[in-house]
Amino acid sequence: MPQIQVKSALVEADALRDFCFQLLAHANLRQADAELVADSLVESNLRGIDSHGVARLPHYLERIRQQSINARPEMQWEQLGTAAGRVDGDHGLGQLAMVKAADHAIELARDSGAGWVSVCNSSHCGALAYYGLRMAQAGMIGFAFTHVDPMVTPHGAREPFCGTNPICITAPGKKGKSLCLDMATSITPWNTIANAATEGVSIPEDWALDSNGQGTTDPNEVVALFPFGGFKGSGLGLMIDVLCALLGGAPIGPDIPKMYGDLSQRRLLGGLVGAIDISRFTSVDSFQERITEMIQRWGGLQPLHKDGKVYYPGEPEEVARLERFKTGIPVGCQLIKQFNQMALQSGLSPLDVSDLHPDVDNTLETSPTESLT
């Protein structure tokens, strides 16, 4: 995934998870809900997907403050058939609705062989791998889709129609090594642009357009992203909008309230989660063995470049997770200042950043709760 380079501090995963939990609990989430959302965000960072990690928390909390996100949703489950159902997220955090949908999809699949659950009245749900891997751990092939407001240009257009509309497909292997394809249909996630704006760094010139339809390296000028792979990513993004909007009764891309627009306006996002019970087709054990064999043969291919490696889908994230669990999660300096200002205002302890990355400004260490500038 395309990334940006920012000055950062290394934060231990459990400490970061607890800090996020404290902020969410202070925002009046139920304890179990706060734990789930904090875990989903930190897991994204652990896997190297910083665009969908803890950097999104200030935005969530501001939307809760402005009441476009319901801190304590009363989600509703409606079974629509032996293999179909719907979760109404009651405008709560998207992570809560998507986990509920994934769990119901698993239940339906165990009963009927497959389960498909649409989601409505939801909000931003973070990285889809969190839900796909939840289904893989249950011995299922997992699917997860979501859509967002218009951020991506159709191939050949100068203005956006669909969102970054990601897709996730997972398949379980042995010893927790699952195949996990989790990708946006844009050239980069929009939240990578948001992170670049927060940290004050530029972006590559071939990622995005400004309001004049021209390429830009300034993340603050971005109004639209390019799709990945030209017409291929463009078409896939549109079909994901069909799955997420039309089945669940949600608005389509151009009609979805903007994530970074009026923060008092509810997002009305849809989603779709699916599970296939492997045991209906073959034994789970033999399936996992074959997945493991595929992974080994895939990784054994001769790399194109000297000292290169052929990674299976999900492997770079697993490598990052192992490394970051040992060394800590890099959190941008500006985000840490923002976090600690929020903690100060909430009467909470600041984020522990005693283990600093060498390029972090000394002022961050000596004055962790200083006001934002």
Side-chain angles (χ1 to χ4, degrees), residues 283-295:
S283 77
V284 175
D285 189 65
S286 64
F287 180 92
Q288 291 177 320
E289 287 179 354
R290 294 192 69 185
I291 290 290
T292 300
E293 180 189 1
M294 288 177 68
I295 287 173

Side-chain angles (χ1 to χ4, degrees), residues 75-364:
M75 297 183 291
Q76 300 297 317
W77 161 247
E78 180 183 6
Q79 187 158 345
L80 304 174
T82 57
R86 179 182 295 118
V87 168
D88 185 324
D90 191 29
H91 309 289
L93 285 163
Q95 288 87 345
L96 306 178
M98 290 293 278
V99 163
K100 187 175 182 66
D103 289 348
H104 278 295
I106 292 168
E107 292 175 5
L108 291 174
R110 285 193 174 127
D111 289 340
S112 63
W116 289 94
V117 178
S118 70
V119 175
C120 65
N121 293 324
S122 188
S123 61
H124 188 264
C125 66
L128 295 183
Y130 194 76
Y131 320 109
L133 290 172
R134 190 180 184 94
M135 290 181 280
Q137 290 164 5
M140 306 276 175
I141 292 175
F143 300 83
F145 309 89
T146 189
H147 68 166
V148 291
D149 50 287
M151 301 176 180
V152 181
T153 60
H155 182 58
R158 295 182 64 177
E159 54 185 328
F161 187 94
C162 291
T164 54
N165 294 10
I167 175 175
C168 178
I169 306 174
T170 55
K174 291 287 188 180
K175 299 180 180 179
K177 287 191 175 183
S178 297
L179 294 178
C180 179
L181 173 69
D182 181 10
M183 51 174 265
T185 50
S186 56
I187 197 167
T188 191
W190 184 275
N191 287 324
T192 298
I193 305 298
N195 288 1
T198 296
E199 300 298 332
V201 298
S202 62
I203 60 172
E205 60 184 0
D206 59 349
W207 279 10
L209 295 175
D210 62 17
S211 59
N212 297 316
Q214 303 296 317
T216 181
T217 61
D218 185 346
N220 297 290
E221 295 181 351
V222 173
V223 298
L225 302 173
F226 292 119
F228 87 90
F231 67 90
K232 297 180 181 179
S234 177
L236 183 57
L238 180 61
M239 296 309 296
I240 291 171
D241 217 353
V242 169
L243 295 175
C244 296
L246 275 61
L247 292 181
I252 64 171
D255 303 327
I256 297 172
K258 290 186 176 295
M259 182 170 180
Y260 297 104
D262 181 355
L263 300 188
S264 67
Q265 189 176 14
R266 288 175 166 172
R267 302 294 309 289
L268 307 173
L269 294 183
L272 183 68
V273 177
I276 295 176
D277 185 356
I278 295 165
S279 68
R280 298 298 183 107
F281 298 86
T282 184
S283 77
V284 175
D285 189 65
S286 64
F287 180 92
Q288 291 177 320
E289 287 179 354
R290 294 192 69 185
I291 290 290
T292 300
E293 180 189 1
M294 288 177 68
I295 287 173
Q296 291 171 344
R297 293 178 66 178
W298 181 283
L301 295 173
Q302 183 176 352
L304 180 62
H305 301 291
K306 184 180 179 181
D307 300 326
K309 178 175 172 54
V310 183
Y311 292 96
Y312 63 83
E315 186 178 10
E317 293 85 353
E318 283 301 311
V319 171
R321 192 181 190 283
L322 290 172
E323 177 64 22
R324 290 185 171 193
F325 196 81
K326 294 177 183 176
T327 63
I329 294 171
V331 181
C333 294
Q334 296 305 313
L335 179 59
I336 290 173
K337 290 180 180 180
Q338 189 176 6
F339 274 159
N340 287 336
Q341 180 66 16
M342 294 166 65
L344 180 66
Q345 294 170 348
S346 302
L348 302 173
S349 299
L351 183 62
D352 182 6
V353 293
S354 57
D355 186 9
L356 292 172
H357 197 275
D359 61 359
V360 174
D361 294 335
N362 289 334
T363 53
L364 189 62

